[in-house]
Amino acid sequence: MNEDRARVFISCGQRNDEREIAQRVKEMLEKLGFEAYVAVYDQTLRSIRETVFEHLLNQTEYFLFIDFCREKIKGKTKWRG
C-alpha cells in the first residue's frame, strides 16, 4: 500500500460483466494515481470481515459505488439499479 496515493474502495455488482467493468474502472483510477480496491473476489464471511471491512473502514479515503441497470420495473418506465 502506497501512503502517498489516495485510496478508492470500488463497490459493484457481482455478475461477470460487472466484475470486468469494475476491473477496468480500477485500472483507470490507478493510471490517474489512485490506489483502488475491488471487493468482488472476497466472498467468504471471514474475508468480508477481515479484508473488505478493513479496507472500507481503515484504508479508504473514497468510496465509489457502480450501480448497474437491472430489470425493468413492471408497469413503469424505470429500471432497478
Side-chain angles (χ1 to χ4, degrees), residues 11-42:
S11 177
C12 67
Q14 298 294 309
R15 295 178 182 170
N16 285 338
D17 58 334
E18 296 169 353
R19 290 179 182 199
E20 292 171 15
I21 292 169
Q23 184 61 36
R24 289 199 311 254
V25 170
K26 177 182 186 279
E27 291 167 4
M28 289 170 46
L29 288 169
E30 288 172 343
K31 286 181 183 177
L32 292 171
F34 292 93
E35 183 174 321
Y37 173 78
V38 182
V40 296
Y41 300 109
D42 293 307

Side-chain angles (χ1 to χ4, degrees), residues 13-80:
Q14 298 294 309
R15 295 178 182 170
N16 285 338
D17 58 334
E18 296 169 353
R19 290 179 182 199
E20 292 171 15
I21 292 169
Q23 184 61 36
R24 289 199 311 254
V25 170
K26 177 182 186 279
E27 291 167 4
M28 289 170 46
L29 288 169
E30 288 172 343
K31 286 181 183 177
L32 292 171
F34 292 93
E35 183 174 321
Y37 173 78
V38 182
V40 296
Y41 300 109
D42 293 307
Q43 298 295 319
T44 67
L45 289 176
R46 183 177 195 158
S47 67
I48 289 171
R49 184 182 73 241
E50 293 177 1
T51 306
V52 175
F53 288 162
E54 172 63 22
H55 275 275
L56 188 57
L57 298 173
N58 299 317
Q59 299 180 21
T60 300
E61 285 83 32
Y62 298 99
F63 179 84
L64 175 62
F65 174 67
I66 304 172
D67 191 13
F68 292 96
C69 186
R70 297 283 189 226
E71 68 276 355
K72 188 173 183 179
I73 299 173
K74 190 174 182 177
K76 302 200 179 201
T77 59
K78 297 180 181 181
W79 298 78
R80 296 196 192 284

